[in-house]
């Protein structure tokens, strides 16, 4: 018997998946499909096959996903596939329903940017709700189980490249293929942004004779974690504490100002940290998306 808390969580996830699927479908029907732009994945293949067979794009999305769903059921179990099947059916129906509306813009660059951004946003929020929109989403999840160090957006970009090449052959229009290639890149960037956020942060080493004062102000004013690393000057032989601190980008200018105020001769090493796990950042135990 499902608890009330779990029931609420499942309901909320399906609401999020429904809204995300709407955004996804709008991107296909009102921007990409009517402009013959096939940026990749099952969606891109469906757009191409629609021109060859006359079968509605939404229907093709559903049909092409059947074997992929079987793969997903084998790898992830029936629970994940239920939510995925829900998303696929919803996207397929809504894509067909919106098709008569036609293109909201016939400018290729605007269509590809808007359409691919909406697809990426839809995919990302479906992923975050624990489901997928089928197609390459499932293939990507399968790959990431054995290759978790490869980001979702990167895998998507690689898989989409093949579909872009196919669109050149079918449509015979290099310009549209180039726009589609741009769209695959946009989808990759936006998807990573939705899934991982602006995860980049600054990692700072501060070597100063006033390390204690600097650390106290960083803790009090910025509320960021500070760690002391034991160091020893090679020339002087003196032991000193080195401050190690990681913080989000918006906090860095204030941290820099604190260091300048406390010790204008402090030695600082600043680098970018692209992924951070732990309190205040990503969880070690969350599922890799």
């Amino acid at each position: 018997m499902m608890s009330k808390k779990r029931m609420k969580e499942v309901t909320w996830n399906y609401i999020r998946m429904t809204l995300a699927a709407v955004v996804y479908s709008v991107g296909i029907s009102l921007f990409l499909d009517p402009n013959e732009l096939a940026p990749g994945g099952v969606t891109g293949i469906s757009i191409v096959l629609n021109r060859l067979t006359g079968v509605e794009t939404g229907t093709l999305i559903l049909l092409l996903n059947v074997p992929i769903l079987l793969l997903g059921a084998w790898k992830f179990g029936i629970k994940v596939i239920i939510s995925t099947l829900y998303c696929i059916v919803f996207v397929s129906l809504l894509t067909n329903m919106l098709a008569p509306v036609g293109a909201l813009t016939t400018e290729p660059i605007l269509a590809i940017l808007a359409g691919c951004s909406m697809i990426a946003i839809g995919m990302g929020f479906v992923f975050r709700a624990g489901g997928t929109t089928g197609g390459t989403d499932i293939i990507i999840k399968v790959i990431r189980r054995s290759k978790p160090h490869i980001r979702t957006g990167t895998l998507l970009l690689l898989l989409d490249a093949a579909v872009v090449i196919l669109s050149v052959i079918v449509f015979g229009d290099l310009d549209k293929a180039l726009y589609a290639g741009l769209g695959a890149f946009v989808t990759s960037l936006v998807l990573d942004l939705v899934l991982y956020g602006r995860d980049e942060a600054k990692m700072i080493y501060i070597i100063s004779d006033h390390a204690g004062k600097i650390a106290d102000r960083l803790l009090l004013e910025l509320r960021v974690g500070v760690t002391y690393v034991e160091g020893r000057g090679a020339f002087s032989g003196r032991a000193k504490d080195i401050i190690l601190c990681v913080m989000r980008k918006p906090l860095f200018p204030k941290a820099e100002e604190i260091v300048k105020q406390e010790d204008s001769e402090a030695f600082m090493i600043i680098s970018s940290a692209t992924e951070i796990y732990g309190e205040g950042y990503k969880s070690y135990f969350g599922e890799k998306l």
Side-chain angles (χ1 to χ4, degrees):
M1 189 72 177
M2 189 179 294
S3 66
K4 289 184 178 180
K5 181 179 180 181
R6 179 57 182 161
M7 179 69 75
K8 184 178 180 180
E9 180 182 340
V10 170
T11 301
W12 173 236
N13 281 341
Y14 270 87
I15 291 172
R16 287 198 295 172
M17 284 190 285
T18 300
L19 295 174
V22 171
V23 175
Y24 189 99
S25 302
V26 169
I28 298 170
S29 295
L30 305 186
F31 292 98
L32 300 179
D33 194 11
N35 287 291
E36 294 186 339
L37 296 169
V42 168
T43 298
I45 295 173
S46 299
I47 292 171
V48 171
L49 290 179
N50 167 260
R51 287 354 182 239
L52 294 175
T53 65
V55 179
E56 290 181 300
T57 301
T59 303
L60 288 167
I61 289 173
L62 181 60
L63 293 176
L64 291 174
N65 269 294
V66 172
I68 299 174
L69 281 173
L70 295 176
L71 171 66
W74 174 46
K75 287 290 186 179
F76 305 113
I78 195 65
K79 287 185 178 180
V80 171
I81 297 310
I82 289 174
S83 60
T84 298
L85 181 60
Y86 170 81
C87 288
I88 292 171
V89 171
F90 190 84
V91 166
S92 299
L93 292 173
L94 194 57
T95 297
N96 287 343
M97 289 171 61
L98 291 173
V101 176
L104 293 185
T105 177
T106 56
E107 180 62 41
I109 189 67
L110 297 178
I112 201 70
L113 291 175
C116 288
S117 294
M118 295 182 81
I119 281 180
I121 291 169
M123 286 174 63
F125 280 103
V126 167
F127 270 34
R128 293 179 72 90
T132 76
T133 55
T136 51
D137 299 9
I138 292 177
I139 297 172
I140 287 170
K141 273 184 171 272
V142 171
I143 294 173
R144 276 182 58 78
R145 279 207 161 182
S146 59
K147 306 286 184 182
H149 60 283
I150 304 177
R151 286 196 164 201
T152 297
T154 303
L155 284 172
L156 185 68
L157 185 61
L158 294 174
L159 293 172
D160 286 350
V163 181
V164 171
I165 293 171
L166 178 63
S167 72
V168 178
I169 299 171
V170 174
F171 295 135
D173 190 328
L174 183 59
D175 286 347
K176 288 184 177 179
L178 292 174
Y179 282 125
L182 173 63
F185 185 67
V186 169
T187 302
S188 172
L189 289 178
V190 176
L191 181 58
D192 276 343
L193 182 62
V194 173
L195 290 179
Y196 308 114
R198 297 191 62 84
D199 199 34
E200 187 173 324
K202 291 293 186 182
M203 182 170 67
I204 309 170
Y205 286 95
I206 305 169
I207 303 172
S208 169
D209 291 331
H210 304 281
K213 292 181 178 179
I214 294 172
D216 287 344
R217 288 191 62 183
L218 292 174
L219 288 167
L220 180 64
E221 297 177 30
L222 301 187
R223 300 196 178 277
V224 295
V226 175
T227 300
Y228 286 126
V229 180
E230 292 183 0
R232 182 181 296 276
F235 179 76
S236 66
R238 289 192 298 121
K240 61 174 58 181
D241 289 328
I242 300 171
I243 296 172
L244 169 61
C245 186
V246 177
M247 65 188 67
R248 298 192 183 278
K249 274 187 173 181
L251 295 176
F252 174 70
K254 178 61 178 175
E256 190 176 33
E257 186 64 26
I258 288 173
V259 174
K260 287 179 180 178
Q261 289 174 359
E262 295 297 334
D263 185 0
S264 60
E265 297 182 357
F267 190 78
M268 295 179 65
I269 303 172
I270 304 159
S271 63
S272 294
T274 56
E275 288 195 85
I276 310 100
Y277 291 86
E279 186 177 352
Y281 294 91
K282 294 193 296 191
S283 170
Y284 292 105
F285 307 105
E287 181 185 356
K288 289 279 189 176
L289 296 173

